[in-house]
Amino acid sequence: MITGGQSYVSAPPAFSADGRFLLVCSGRSVSVFSTSTGMLVSELEGHEGDVTAVVVVPPQGNAAATAKLASHCWTAGLDGFLIYWDFATAELVRKVKVDAPVHSMVIPNISKTLKVTDVYAPFAFVSVEALSKAAIQEKAKGKPVNKKKELWGQMRIYDLTNGRQVGSELAQTQKPEKIVASCCGQFLGIANKRHLYIWSIPTKDFNHDNIRKIKLGHTKELSTLAFHPSERIVAGGDVTGRILIWRGFGKAKFSGTHGAKSQVDEERDGVRGKDDAGTCTTWHWHSSGVNFVKFSSDGAYLLSGGMEGVIVVWQLDTGKRRYKPRLGSPLLFFVDSPDSSISCVSCKDNQVHLLKMPNMEVLKTVAGIKLPVASADLSRRDVYGFDSTNGLVAIPTQDYCIQFYNLFENIEVSEVQVCERNFQPVDDITMYISLVSLSIGGNLMCTVEVKLPEEELGGLVTLKFWNQGSRTGQFHLSTVIYEPHSDAGISAVAFHPGKNMAVSSSFGCNFKVWVQSLSLQSSDGKSQSGWRCQSVGSYKKKPMTAAAFSGDGSVLAVAAESVITLWDPDNNALVGVIAEALSPITKLSFAGDSAYLMSLSQSSKPQVAVWNVSNLSMQWSYTLFAEAACCSSSKSEFAVLSLLSCPEGGAPAEQDGVILIFDAENSKPVSSWSVKKAKGGSIAFVKADPSLDSNTDDTSGDASLLVYVNGSHEYVIFDPRNNEELQISKSTRKNIQADEPAPIGYASIYGELPKLELNKEVSDIPFIPSERPWETIFTGSSHALPPLTKLCSVFLSSLLEKRPVTGE
C-alpha cells in the first residue's frame, strides 16, 4: 500500500536553524526538503493524526550544545502528542501526551532559574480542541455529543522537560485558534473574532502566575496578526482586507503602570475605547480577507498576502507599498529563515515557493498535488485523467492548467497550460475545465474547457487535442475545435485503444468520431498532426451521455440517455441496441478484452449494471449510489466507489464510502475496502511500478493495482486482490535524495573556484613591460593582471627618470 497526495499547506512550515532545510507538515508526517535543491531529503513519521505544527527551537548554550541541537524540532498533531525529533537522522527522541487534538503550538525562548543560574527551559503553548464541561457531563451519562456545538478551543501550557501541563488554561475560545509568538518570545497572541488577545510572558525565570493579558478591539473579524521584532508594535489583518497597526500596545498593563492616568484621546489616534495602545493606523489594499501579515527581520517593512496571490510590502513609516504579483494562487503563510536571504510563502494550490530576498524571486518550488477547485458543473464528478501505463494522474487546476502527478513517487511531473488566462481571485466562475481524457499509452490527451455565458451571451465549449512531447507528462497543442457540437456541452471523450481515434459525445443528441491525420505545413515544411471529424452519429434525437471503446477497438458503445447503442467506429454503422437502464447512464466502460460492458447511472435512481454485448442482455445489476467506477484493461474485473450515508452532523464533503471489486461474470463482490472522503473521489487501475516491492501476484506487467483519490486529492495505491496491508514507507521512494553539504566561507558568497589542473604544463613566458606602461598597466580584467610583485616594480620604475651613466 502506497500513500501520497498530502497537503503541504495545512500549517506554516519552518526553516532549520541554519536555513538549509525546510520542514513541511504533510498529513501524518513532516517532510524535510533541501532549500538548495527543493528536493525531499527525509520524512518524520510517528504521529497517528495529521501534523498541525512544527517548531524548530534555536539551540541555547555553548557552541558544542548549539551544534548538537541544531537539527532538533518539536511537532504537534491531532493525535494529541507533542514529539521531539532529530530531523537530521529522522529519529524520534521523545513524546509528550496532551490528551487533546493540538491545532497550533509555539515554543518561546524561556529560561528558569536553577541554583542561581538561568537555564533554558522549553515550554509549549498549545491550542487544543477540548469538550466543554457540559459535554463532558453528557458524555459521562452515555448521551451523544454534538461536536459542532460542544467543542471548545483552549490554550494550555506544557513543560516539555517534565512532560506535564503547567497551571490552568490561558483562554477558552469557541474553536481552536492559531497562536503567534514574537521573535523574542515575550508576547503571544491570537485573533479571536473582533479582538486580538495578547499575553506578556516572563521569559526570565518563567512563572505561570506572572502572565498578563490585554485585548485590542476592531469593528470587523480579525484573521491574523504579527509582532514587530524589536518594538511594541502589533499588526492585524481582518476579513475585509484591512490591516491595522497598533503601536505602543501594553504600556499600561505590561509595564506595571496599570491604574495610572491614561493618555488623552487626542494622543491615541484610532484606538478603540480603553484599549491599551498608543495609536492605531489602518491600511487597505486587499480586496478580500488578509491571510497573513509578517514583519521583516529589521522591522522596517510589513508583508501581507491574501486571495489575490500578491505579496504586498508596506513601508512601516510611510505606508508606501510595492508588490510581488503573479504567484498564481491565494497565499496562506509567509515564513522567513535565520538566513535573511531566503524566505518561503505557502499557496492555496498546495505549493510552497522558496523566495530570494529582498526582491522575492522564486528560487525553488515544493509542489504537492493540486487541491480540488470549484466547478460550475455540479453534475460532473469524475474530471481526473489517469495514465495507467506511467502511473500518472492529470488534475485540472485553478489557474487553468493540467497538473501531471506521479502517483508512485508522490511528485509533480509537469504542468500543461490549457488556456492562456492569469489567475483572478473572483468568486464567480467564468471558465473551467470540464473533462480530461488520456489514451491508454498516455501519448494523447484531450481536454474540454467551458466558458460560461454572461447574461446568456458568449458561452463557448472548446475541444483541444494534445500530443505528447519528448518526455512523459509533456504535451503540446495539436488541434483546437470551437463548439464541436454546436452550442451543446460535451458529456464524454474516449480514445481508441489501438488507433489515433477518439469519440466525443454530447448532450446535443449526437456523437462525433475524430481521427488524427498528418498534413504538410508549407511555412516550415515540417509534418504536423491534426485532428478532423470522420463521422457523426445519433440515435432517435436523444442526448448522448457516455461513450467507450471495446478492448480491441472494434466496437464503440454510446449511451443515448438510458439506452446503450453499439457502433462500428470505422464505418459509423449501428450494429446493436441493448435494453434500457433505470436512468440516464453517465459512464460506460468495457471490462478488459471481454464481452462485458459496465454502465453507471448517478441520478435519483442510481444503478451499476453489467451487460453482455454478445447477446445484448443484462448480466446483473445493483442499486448503488456510486461516485466513480473503472475497469481493468486486461481482465474482466472492475471497481466501484460507492457512497455511504453521511453521518449526522457531518459535512457532505467528508462523506465516507466503500470500494467494491467485481468480476464481470459474477454479481458477488470479490473484495471490499472502506475509504474516507469518498465524495468527489475517483478510482483507476494502474500498472505496478517495477521498482517498488508491491508484492502483487500479477507478473505479466498488466494494470493490477488500484489507485483511490479522495475528495481532498489524497490517494492510496493498493493491490485489490491482496487483503494484507503492506505499507511502503515514503522514505524509500526514488525522489528522496541525500542533501548536498552547504557551501561555506568564500564559496557561499562567490561560488566554487574552478579546479586547476596541476599536471598541465605551462610555458614560462617572461614579463616584458611596454614603453609606456602607465597607459596599459591597469587595463583589462582583474583576474588577468600580472602578480603584484611585478606590477609594483614596473610601476615605480616607470615614474623614475632614467639618466645615462657616464664613466669618470
Side-chain angles (χ1 to χ4, degrees), residues 1 671 673 694-698 704-706 717-724:
M1 183 179 293
S671 59
W673 300 79
S694 57
N695 285 8
T696 58
D697 298 331
D698 188 0
S704 58
L705 298 181
L706 188 67
I717 305 175
F718 62 97
D719 184 358
R721 293 163 296 276
N722 188 357
N723 292 325
E724 296 180 2

Side-chain angles (χ1 to χ4, degrees), residues 1-4 45 716 724-730 733:
M1 183 179 293
I2 304 172
T3 59
E45 298 177 334
V716 58
E724 296 180 2
E725 295 189 9
L726 176 65
Q727 186 77 27
I728 297 182
S729 174
K730 289 178 284 187
R733 292 177 180 160

Side-chain angles (χ1 to χ4, degrees), residues 652-687:
E654 298 178 356
Q655 191 171 354
D656 296 337
V658 59
I659 297 177
L660 303 172
I661 312 297
F662 291 96
D663 188 287
E665 298 181 359
N666 194 346
S667 61
K668 183 179 180 181
V670 177
S671 59
S672 63
W673 300 79
S674 298
V675 293
K676 301 286 187 181
K677 301 180 183 179
K679 187 70 174 179
S682 187
I683 52 178
F685 284 94
V686 295
K687 290 185 178 180

Side-chain angles (χ1 to χ4, degrees), residues 66-88:
T66 300
K68 183 179 179 181
L69 301 177
S71 61
H72 287 69
C73 70
W74 283 93
T75 60
L78 297 180
D79 57 352
F81 281 95
L82 311 180
I83 302 182
Y84 191 48
W85 301 88
D86 182 353
F87 59 83

Side-chain angles (χ1 to χ4, degrees), residues 196 198 214 216 226-228 231-236 243-252 263 267-271 275-283 295 299-302 314-320:
L196 294 185
I198 300 176
I214 65 169
L216 303 176
F227 292 98
H228 193 278
E231 301 178 22
R232 282 199 177 183
I233 301 175
V234 62
I243 297 175
L244 292 88
I245 311 292
W246 285 275
R247 301 173 186 268
F249 68 89
K251 282 187 177 180
Q263 296 172 317
E267 297 177 355
R268 303 173 70 247
D269 293 338
V271 180
D275 289 353
D276 190 359
T279 61
C280 180
T281 307
T282 301
W283 295 335
F295 285 96
Y301 298 94
L302 177 71
W314 306 81
Q315 190 172 11
L316 194 60
D317 293 335
T318 64
K320 294 181 179 180

